[in-house]
Amino acid sequence: MNIQALLSEKVSQALQAAGAPADSEPQVRQSAKAQFGDYQANGIMSAAKKLGMPPRQLAEKVVELLALDGIASKTEIAGPGFINIFLDRQFVTDHADAALKDAKLGLTPVKPQTIVIDYSAPNVAKAMHVGHIRSTIIGDAAARVNELLGHKVIRANHLGDWGTQFGMLIAYLEKVQNENSEEMQLSDFEEFYRAAKQHYDEDEEFALRARGYVVKLQSGDEYCLKMWRRLVDVTMTQNQQTYNRLNVTLTQDDVMGESLYNPMLPGIVADLQAKGLAVESEGAIVVYLDEYKNKEGEPMGVIIRKKDGGYLYTTTDIACAKYRYETLKADRVLYYIDSRQHQHLMQAWTIVRKAGYVPESVPLEHHAFGMMLGKDGRPFKTRAGGTISLSDLLDEAISRSRALIQEKSPHITGEELDALVNAVGIGAVKYADLSKSRTTDYIFDWDNMLAFEGNTAPYMQYAYTRVASIFKRTEVDIDALLAQPLVLADDREIALATRLLQFEEVLTTVSREGTPHLTCAYLFDVAGLFSSFYEHCPILNAEDETTRQSRLKLALLTQRTLKMGLDTLGIETVERM
Ligand code: ARG
């Protein structure tokens, strides 16, 4: 059920009937305050302007023509021409009841799109660090919500698995293999990469061999490919463990690394040259873009092939966008990449559009995010100033969660304790990230994210267990319950039910804008409304059987909404804590 969409349609029809131009937007929004009703239509003023009519006069006409029987109990004109809409209680009740009877809680089927989501994208032979965590967590939430709504989601893990550094990595892998110290070395990527680089910089002979391997790898040499695959496999096996720990839905099948596009690159460069978009400049192949100016105010040159014949990150992203449209048949492509790569993406996509590789009707969207900062407001680092590895971070989350849970819930032990510790620890790290608007930098603070008050994972998980516990304290036959009528009388019941019916509106916005923090804010709000309902409206001790059943049903809808909502965020729930 999407009430906002329904009301938009109704107000739109009334606007047309009142003579407003066809493109008039009804601008129906959820009202910020109860006194303004449940929804308000804000589009009257601009429609009136186009008509040259006093806005209040148009508002009166629209209200007269509005066919909201059975939907709204009251409409009011406010201020210069806003229309406040108060939902009919029976309408809310009926739709809440219908939502309960549906496995997808009454979500309207969408016209399915193929949505490619580029996220996580770590690099081979490098440990995933906190810089990849936001992409992984937020991108996965985007994948989940779009899938729930009914879209076809293609997860694209743009693994950094190609480039000149592979000569050096292969040469070093060969060296440690010969010395039989491979296992030890490869388990620590940071160290492996550093040591490889050191050999490359200091050992002439090693560097020569490394450069030879790059050329051989590029031309498909068996041995080099085998060594390269080994590096990729070891990296992805480790990363997969992190995905599993994080309850992230990525699998090995989702890897579409940079190497996938490598065979396309010569053709792309030739095509861009043939189209007159790319030209030779001092041996390199360059696309000059009027849209971007360099320091001298001249069109910026984007190199797509270096003088030595090597291709660049941009060339790969041009090919990759083309592939996602042509081969994967994307209707929409979302990129979860930190905001520092914005200019890079814009340049690549400007070239993509000019070359006609992806039509304008298929959006390429950069869902950028800011950096993760420490409490001191500086980039998040270890005490010694190194980058923090993601797995160390998760280890710390678990140990802090364990200490917290043992203190708060000493009655929980054994396997149940382990599962709870995991759900809260991992949930806290994820939720802290997901609950903030992604576009800004965010401060990573253990105490905040593990607090039981406020918009945090532990609070939401606890709120969920409170609802779930009602069904533990009494024997409830769910099927029989669902067959009972739903009768909502108290204002708090109506307020909660109305909010529960807005679930789809939130998910739709999150799908469109890639902003899971709106889901968090919504669920937090639902939890608050449930609390006040729970405090004022006895459920198990209700005054009569119909009320008792109705309140149980409302609690059940709350429980299912919280669960489904937290699922779209990849946050696990537990039955008690
Ligand atoms: N591997 C890159 C990095 O670690 C991120 C890749 C993002 N995706 C893309 N299509 N460029 O910075």
Side-chain angles (χ1 to χ4, degrees):
M1 160 96 275
N2 189 330
I3 305 174
Q4 186 192 23
L6 174 69
L7 293 175
S8 297
E9 196 188 302
K10 297 286 180 190
V11 176
S12 219
Q13 283 164 2
L15 269 169
Q16 302 301 303
D23 64 347
S24 306
E25 292 273 354
Q27 293 183 35
V28 174
R29 309 270 179 275
Q30 290 172 17
S31 300
K33 287 196 181 124
Q35 77 211 67
F36 301 138
D38 297 297
Y39 287 84
Q40 53 190 61
N42 302 339
I44 311 301
M45 280 77 76
S46 65
K49 204 167 167 190
K50 288 185 203 154
L51 281 175
M53 198 192 217
R56 278 196 78 101
Q57 196 182 320
L58 179 62
E60 271 159 35
K61 238 174 134 178
V62 169
V63 166
E64 227 176 77
L65 293 163
L66 251 180
L68 294 182
D69 281 358
I71 301 174
S73 56
K74 188 168 83 171
T75 45
E76 253 174 24
I77 300 168
F82 298 104
I83 299 175
N84 296 340
I85 301 168
F86 297 77
L87 294 177
D88 187 303
R89 292 181 164 222
Q90 196 54 47
F91 171 84
V92 171
T93 307
D94 291 345
H95 283 281
D97 208 7
L100 261 178
K101 295 199 169 85
D102 178 28
K104 280 183 106 181
L105 301 183
L107 296 179
T108 319
V110 291
K111 191 169 157 275
Q113 285 190 312
T114 298
I115 307 179
V116 174
I117 308 185
D118 181 318
Y119 69 104
S120 193
N123 300 311
V124 167
K126 283 194 183 164
M128 246 202 263
H129 55 73
V130 294
H132 293 112
I133 191 175
R134 301 201 77 185
S135 175
T136 304
I137 291 174
I138 306 173
D140 200 52
R144 286 167 181 265
V145 78
N146 283 305
E147 227 154 40
L148 175 67
L149 288 174
H151 296 294
K152 177 180 171 195
V153 170
I154 298 178
R155 293 162 173 78
N157 194 349
H158 196 82
L159 184 67
D161 64 355
W162 206 247
T164 44
Q165 73 277 26
F166 280 90
M168 162 189 107
L169 292 169
I170 290 171
Y172 190 65
L173 176 61
E174 180 181 67
K175 183 174 154 60
V176 295
Q177 269 182 352
N178 289 342
E179 290 162 7
N180 272 326
S181 50
E182 177 194 350
E183 287 317 314
M184 184 203 80
Q185 296 277 7
L186 260 181
S187 61
D188 184 351
F189 290 140
E190 217 58 40
E191 178 53 25
F192 183 87
Y193 203 97
R194 198 199 53 73
K197 179 99 176 58
Q198 190 178 357
H199 276 79
Y200 187 82
D201 291 340
E202 289 169 9
D203 181 343
E204 194 74 36
E205 207 181 308
F206 179 92
L208 202 67
R209 196 160 52 241
R211 280 194 287 270
Y213 283 159
V214 187
V215 180
K216 283 176 122 182
L217 180 67
Q218 300 270 6
S219 58
D221 172 79
E222 274 309 321
Y223 172 76
C224 285
L225 274 173
K226 201 180 109 209
M227 297 291 270
W228 168 79
R229 241 177 250 123
R230 175 130 181 77
L231 290 163
V232 174
D233 285 348
V234 176
T235 308
M236 284 318 290
T237 306
Q238 268 195 32
N239 288 338
Q240 190 60 47
Q241 284 168 6
T242 305
Y243 296 147
N244 297 349
R245 279 186 89 182
L246 274 173
N247 186 26
V248 156
T249 55
L250 285 169
T251 69
Q252 303 290 323
D253 295 342
D254 302 318
V255 173
M256 291 182 220
E258 294 179 18
S259 61
L260 175 68
Y261 310 103
N262 189 55
M264 293 171 68
L265 305 183
I268 297 257
V269 171
D271 186 54
L272 292 175
Q273 281 181 290
K275 287 183 169 138
L277 289 166
V279 293
E280 203 191 307
S281 166
E282 294 167 38
I285 307 294
V286 183
V287 179
Y288 287 97
L289 296 175
D290 291 332
E291 293 81 349
Y292 298 89
K293 302 277 185 248
N294 64 16
K295 278 187 234 99
E296 284 75 44
E298 293 151 359
M300 184 182 274
V302 180
I303 302 176
I304 55 171
R305 198 179 77 197
K306 289 187 289 187
K307 205 170 158 175
D308 66 7
Y311 299 98
L312 293 102
Y313 188 50
T314 308
T315 328
T316 303
D317 263 315
I318 295 170
C320 155
K322 185 172 188 278
Y323 177 87
R324 288 169 180 178
Y325 170 67
E326 272 177 15
T327 308
L328 301 180
K329 307 267 179 273
D331 295 309
R332 209 184 148 197
V333 191
L334 317 182
Y335 291 75
Y336 285 86
I337 310 179
D338 86 63
S339 52
R340 288 168 302 181
Q341 294 194 28
H342 187 67
Q343 164 132 322
H344 153 74
L345 286 173
M346 292 307 129
Q347 290 173 350
W349 297 346
T350 303
I351 297 170
V352 164
R353 299 292 191 197
K354 285 189 174 182
Y357 293 153
V358 182
E360 294 287 349
S361 59
V362 173
L364 302 170
E365 305 172 27
H366 181 198
H367 290 190
F369 47 83
M371 288 210 290
M372 223 158 128
L373 304 176
K375 254 174 140 172
D376 56 1
R378 316 268 295 268
F380 198 54
K381 292 263 153 88
T382 58
R383 269 201 203 118
T387 50
I388 297 176
S389 89
L390 192 43
S391 69
D392 288 350
L393 185 89
L394 297 181
D395 288 344
E396 180 161 359
I398 296 297
S399 75
R400 285 180 183 257
S401 164
R402 187 170 293 277
L404 182 76
I405 303 288
Q406 276 171 338
E407 181 204 317
K408 294 239 179 202
S409 315
H411 55 286
I412 296 179
T413 54
E415 274 177 29
E416 190 187 358
L417 174 66
D418 290 342
L420 175 58
V421 163
N422 192 61
V424 169
I426 301 294
V429 170
K430 293 179 76 174
Y431 198 90
D433 196 339
L434 291 167
S435 59
K436 318 254 178 354
S437 163
R438 65 172 158 75
T439 48
T440 45
D441 291 345
Y442 108 87
I443 310 248
F444 190 93
D445 179 350
W446 289 115
D447 296 328
N448 279 346
M449 71 179 71
L450 284 162
F452 269 81
E453 296 83 38
N455 190 11
T456 64
Y459 172 81
M460 288 308 307
Q461 287 163 324
Y462 179 67
Y464 175 82
T465 62
R466 267 181 90 191
V467 192
S469 75
I470 298 166
F471 295 92
K472 289 240 177 65
R473 274 181 276 142
T474 178
E475 191 79 24
V476 184
D477 175 344
I478 298 291
D479 288 331
L481 181 68
L482 292 182
Q484 295 300 313
L486 181 65
V487 181
L488 304 177
D490 193 279
D491 284 351
R492 293 181 190 88
E493 294 172 333
I494 293 289
L496 173 58
T498 304
R499 198 75 182 111
L500 290 171
L501 287 180
Q502 292 172 335
F503 189 41
E504 179 173 330
E505 286 166 44
V506 177
L507 298 186
T508 306
T509 309
V510 173
S511 154
R512 192 180 55 237
E513 323 225 323
T515 45
H517 72 285
L518 299 177
T519 308
C520 297
Y522 168 79
L523 296 174
F524 182 62
D525 205 26
V526 165
L529 289 168
F530 179 81
S531 281
S532 78
F533 154 72
Y534 193 58
E535 270 162 42
H536 294 94
C537 306
I539 300 179
L540 298 178
N541 301 319
E543 50 273 29
D544 58 73
E545 195 48 29
T546 308
T547 309
R548 186 183 127 98
Q549 306 270 16
S550 288
R551 289 183 179 161
L552 273 172
K553 287 181 83 167
L554 192 52
L556 188 63
L557 184 58
T558 307
Q559 182 185 4
R560 290 184 177 175
T561 306
L562 288 177
K563 172 111 181 134
M564 200 178 272
L566 289 169
D567 263 355
T568 68
L569 298 166
I571 302 290
E572 282 179 309
T573 49
V574 290
E575 294 305 308
R576 63 169 193 158
M577 61 194 280

